[in-house]
Amino acid sequence: MKKRVILVTDGDLNAKKAIEIATQKIGGRVISRSAGNPTLLSGEEIIELIKETPYDPVVVMVDDRGNTHRGSGEEAMAQILKSNDVEVMGVVAVAANSSRVTGVEVDVSIDNQGNVIDYAVDKDGYAKDDKIIKGDTVDILNDYDVPVIVGVGDVGKMEGQDDVEFGAPIITKALEEVIKLYETKKKINK
């Protein structure tokens, strides 16, 4: 059986700590070595690590470190998205203050109060007036048929609302929402 994977488009130190806590809360395993600002491992290397873990789902971090062009995080994500060795459940698309990007449409977002909303959010987790989340590592998602995209603000931050001291509640909720929406879509498509 293929390992189920959730990709998160953030990988700095704050995000890494928050994602590790959130993944533990959902009973999954995070590939901590996928963290980095920018991502240092290739998609192939990350896929091998995914296949080695006995847990499910597996959470992977990808980050372009502000590079608005196709950076190492997006390259790794592309390799994972097109791999036949894993089953990508969805992506937590993280907002950034990126201006020269297209952005990607979200299914839903989690705002900085932990609410599931039908709009995208900004870096601080506030609702926008459209469904397009803008971040430095999200444009490539437009090239793939991603089952679920959940938007969030800056992981581990959002004006303290996603702090690890509070148990990283926003990223936790985002991972839970990816799983929930993915399972719902699978049932509908059966």
Side-chain angles (χ1 to χ4, degrees):
M1 199 166 123
K2 292 180 185 178
K3 284 285 181 336
R4 299 184 311 159
V5 176
I6 301 172
L7 298 159
V8 182
T9 67
D10 201 353
D12 64 28
L13 196 56
N14 268 339
K16 177 178 180 267
K17 289 178 186 171
I19 292 164
E20 286 171 342
I21 287 168
T23 304
Q24 193 173 20
K25 287 165 94 173
I26 65 161
R29 173 63 59 96
V30 66
I31 304 292
S32 293
R33 286 181 52 202
S34 69
N37 189 3
T39 299
L40 300 174
L41 298 178
S42 72
E44 283 92 2
E45 290 170 313
I46 294 170
I47 289 164
E48 286 310 309
L49 292 170
I50 292 166
K51 285 159 54 175
E52 288 170 16
T53 181
Y55 292 83
D56 182 86
V58 181
V59 177
V60 171
M61 294 168 270
V62 289
D63 196 319
D64 276 351
R65 192 182 183 186
N67 182 348
T68 56
H69 301 290
R70 192 163 166 163
S72 60
E74 282 186 288
E75 286 293 341
M77 186 161 47
Q79 291 169 327
I80 296 164
L81 285 166
K82 61 187 174 193
S83 171
N84 291 320
D85 293 334
V86 298
E87 181 181 347
V88 176
M89 300 173 77
V91 176
V92 177
V94 179
N97 290 334
S98 307
S99 54
R100 293 180 313 278
V101 296
T102 305
V104 68
E105 186 172 325
V106 297
D107 291 290
V108 296
S109 292
I110 312 299
D111 72 10
N112 62 14
Q113 299 301 304
N115 301 308
V116 178
I117 61 170
D118 287 327
Y119 297 96
V121 291
D122 65 15
K123 185 173 180 166
D124 293 321
Y126 290 103
K128 295 174 55 188
D129 57 5
D130 61 28
K131 291 182 77 88
I132 306 298
I133 198 152
K134 295 199 171 188
D136 57 1
T137 318
V138 304
D139 281 4
I140 198 168
L141 295 173
N142 293 305
D143 298 341
Y144 295 91
D145 185 19
V146 181
V148 175
I149 300 176
V150 174
V152 293
D154 204 355
V155 177
K157 299 176 187 147
M158 287 177 257
E159 299 181 337
Q161 298 297 323
D162 198 36
D163 199 292
V164 293
E165 290 186 23
F166 304 131
I170 311 301
I171 186 60
T172 301
K173 180 90 176 211
L175 294 175
E176 291 169 345
E177 196 64 20
V178 168
I179 294 166
K180 184 177 119 190
L181 291 175
Y182 180 77
E183 296 296 342
T184 301
K185 284 186 177 186
K186 261 189 101 161
K187 282 179 188 158
I188 291 168
N189 294 329
K190 273 191 174 174

